[in-house]
Amino acid sequence: MTSELDIAPLEGRAAAVVEAARKAGADAADAVVVKSASLSVDVRNGKVEESERSESDDFSLRVFIGRRVASVSSNGFDDVDTLAERAVAMARVTPEDPFATLAERDRLATAFPDLDLVDDRQIDSTDLTERALATEAAALKVAGVSKSGGATASTGYSGLVLATSEGFSGSYAVTRHSTAMTAIAGEGTTMERDYDYAVASHLDDLDDPSVIGRRAGERTVKRLNPVKLTTRKTAVVFEPRMAATLVRHFTSAINGQSIARKTSFLREKMGERIFAEGIRIVDDPYRRRGLASRPFDGEGVASEVIDLITDGVLQTWLLDTATARELGLETNGRASRGGSGPAPGSTNVSLSAGSQSPQAMMAALGDGIYVTDLIGQGVNGVTGDYSRGAAGFRFENGEFVEAVSEITIAGNLVDMFARLVPANDPEYRFGVEVPTIAIEGLTVAGR
């Protein structure tokens, strides 16, 4: 599939569309092309259930007339003059947006670092089938696993091209490989299921199928015969892949759009201590082979590595150009871009590791709940109120004593962030690197 990754020639086409918009009467314009393709194979019980291939080429033109802005989209570059004229006509009749603008010329990237985001290896459906079958076989070998919920192996790429009337022209591509397995243990009404997965930009960085399958099986078997707890206040420990959701709640709360709209529970907290002393959270767009890495942001701005939290203190919002202008600030190169207009977002986010192992942390806590699964979306972004269904294990003195399910964890993210303690086992998944996290004094509601 990598033979289709040559997107650089599209830069000239995108620049031509921008020029067509200027000739049609636009004061400024930018054009984005997002090219992507993926191939996946699903297997169950040793047989291929589905093989799917998808491809897309999305083109978007955004034009400005004064403070009026309009966007049009297409699946190709056919008749760019007509497309540009339509976008300009739309912009002339739209209401003014006082903050709409392209990024300033002096903020645009002029050098693009090599982040090694493209794997040149050729992968076909036969390779994916073998990987998925090996993953499933490893899960079914785990004692106690009764059946397969299915395994999936996939590969894909995407490329982004951006051209602006301020003179920016750039492109980059990324590849993705992933493997996932769902296992089932038990029978009838006592069945439990769990999963494991891995994603990487390079196949060499992806966990071996046997490891992914075994982990899925072992996680599932451990969930058998769960108990229902009585309601209590206790320490809650989040395994890394569940802890990542807390980091995402944080980055959502410092998104500049949420701050500008006054819909974030952190909107009055700039410069205040949000987390405990010593905690640092970093956003790094230049992580080599990172799943959220990029050489420039969605407006062509040169990004930089920034601290979101330093020694527990909130340092900045995530900003694109328009949101920054609305807040009286400057962009920090966090514009994300698909086929539509830019919006602020994070890149590779890392929460600093602590000094204790998860086992030592749980032993020090005495007893509590170790969370391996979260259910629902019960987070209020305005107030920070947190309430989510969960499952996992009850522990005593650092040792798991029984599986638990059908519980609800409740608290407020302001208090949760302040009491958050990281362990020393960071994992990097989907652009977030975070260790096991412990938070004392949460309400766990059960029967």
Side-chain angles (χ1 to χ4, degrees):
M1 297 183 70
T2 54
S3 62
E4 302 169 67
L5 276 168
D6 188 14
I7 59 172
L10 294 176
E11 291 184 34
R13 303 290 299 277
V17 176
V18 169
E19 181 60 27
R22 294 298 301 273
K23 290 180 178 178
D27 297 325
D30 65 7
V32 174
V33 183
V34 178
K35 182 181 180 67
S36 63
S38 65
L39 177 64
S40 66
V41 174
D42 299 338
V43 304
R44 190 191 300 264
N45 300 323
K47 297 180 179 180
V48 174
E49 274 201 331
E50 184 178 14
S51 179
E52 182 177 0
R53 181 184 179 97
S54 65
E55 297 184 22
S56 66
D57 293 281
D58 297 320
F59 163 72
S60 176
L61 171 66
R62 187 172 58 140
V63 302
F64 298 82
I65 298 180
R67 293 300 177 195
R68 304 177 190 274
V69 59
S71 297
V72 295
S73 298
S74 172
N75 292 326
F77 287 94
D78 296 338
D79 198 0
V80 294
D81 291 334
T82 299
L83 196 69
E85 290 169 0
R86 179 156 59 93
V88 169
M90 290 170 59
R92 294 188 191 282
V93 297
T94 60
E96 288 193 353
D97 180 346
F99 310 113
T101 183
L102 293 177
E104 296 179 359
R105 186 182 294 269
D106 62 359
R107 298 300 307 275
L108 298 175
T110 56
F112 307 141
D114 179 11
L115 304 178
D116 195 15
L117 302 179
V118 174
D119 186 351
D120 291 328
R121 187 172 307 191
Q122 299 291 331
I123 305 296
D124 60 23
S125 59
T126 300
D127 299 321
L128 297 178
T129 300
E130 291 176 355
R131 193 195 320 162
L133 289 172
T135 305
E136 182 182 55
L140 292 174
K141 286 180 181 178
V142 176
V145 172
S146 56
K147 61 183 70 176
S148 169
T152 300
S154 68
T155 185
Y157 74 85
S158 63
L160 182 142
V161 176
L162 172 66
T164 81
S165 56
E166 289 298 308
F168 179 86
S169 180
S171 64
Y172 65 92
V174 301
T175 52
R176 291 285 182 272
H177 303 281
S178 67
T179 309
M181 172 66 201
T182 299
I184 300 170
E187 298 293 340
T189 58
T190 64
M191 285 195 304
E192 296 290 337
R193 70 173 60 217
D194 209 326
Y195 66 96
D196 196 48
Y197 67 93
V199 183
S201 63
H202 286 247
L203 190 60
D204 290 342
D205 297 334
L206 196 68
D207 290 340
D208 188 89
S210 62
V211 173
I212 298 168
R214 185 180 69 250
R215 285 197 305 238
E218 290 173 348
R219 288 176 64 93
T220 304
V221 172
K222 289 178 181 178
R223 293 183 61 160
L224 286 171
N225 305 313
V227 301
K228 297 180 182 179
L229 300 177
T230 57
T231 297
R232 64 191 69 188
K233 280 206 171 212
T234 189
V236 176
V237 178
F238 297 82
E239 70 169 1
R241 78 183 190 189
M242 295 298 108
T245 65
L246 297 176
V247 174
R248 292 190 182 99
H249 294 322
F250 164 69
T251 56
S252 177
I254 64 167
N255 187 295
Q257 287 188 340
S258 297
I259 303 304
R261 295 168 183 169
K262 297 180 169 55
T263 57
S264 168
F265 63 93
L266 294 181
R267 63 186 180 278
E268 306 290 342
K269 301 293 186 178
M270 178 59 69
E272 296 185 16
R273 176 159 279 116
I274 305 300
F275 294 86
E277 292 183 12
I279 287 184
R280 183 185 183 203
I281 300 179
V282 176
D283 186 282
D284 180 4
Y286 298 140
R287 180 174 181 139
R288 192 166 180 81
R289 296 192 177 188
L291 294 174
S293 298
R294 61 196 186 193
F296 53 85
D297 85 341
E299 297 177 303
V301 171
S303 304
E304 59 184 352
V305 180
I306 57 175
D307 274 24
L308 306 177
I309 295 288
T310 303
D311 197 24
V313 177
L314 179 60
Q315 302 295 312
T316 187
W317 312 125
L318 298 169
L319 299 169
D320 63 0
T321 300
T323 304
R325 172 176 286 194
E326 186 172 358
L327 294 170
L329 302 169
E330 292 189 5
T331 178
N332 49 23
R334 265 34 189 199
S336 296
R337 195 73 171 263
S340 58
S346 59
T347 63
N348 301 290
V349 180
S350 301
L351 186 150
S352 57
S355 59
Q356 286 186 307
S357 68
Q359 293 74 23
M361 175 185 286
M362 289 190 288
L365 290 169
D367 58 15
I369 305 300
Y370 182 86
V371 175
T372 61
D373 194 16
L374 289 167
I375 305 164
Q377 305 294 324
V379 179
N380 188 317
V382 178
T383 65
D385 289 337
Y386 181 97
S387 178
R388 296 194 66 180
F393 304 91
R394 186 172 69 85
F395 64 86
E396 292 181 355
N397 300 317
E399 300 292 334
F400 296 143
V401 294
E402 57 191 354
V404 298
S405 65
E406 298 182 32
I407 60 175
T408 300
I409 298 170
N412 184 278
L413 286 171
V414 173
D415 300 328
M416 292 168 67
F417 290 162
R419 299 199 300 271
L420 182 153
V421 178
N424 65 355
D425 61 335
E427 290 184 6
Y428 179 70
R429 291 173 180 258
F430 286 119
V432 176
E433 183 176 35
V434 60
T436 298
I437 282 174
I439 302 175
E440 293 191 75
L442 292 180
T443 298
V444 175
R447 55 183 170 85

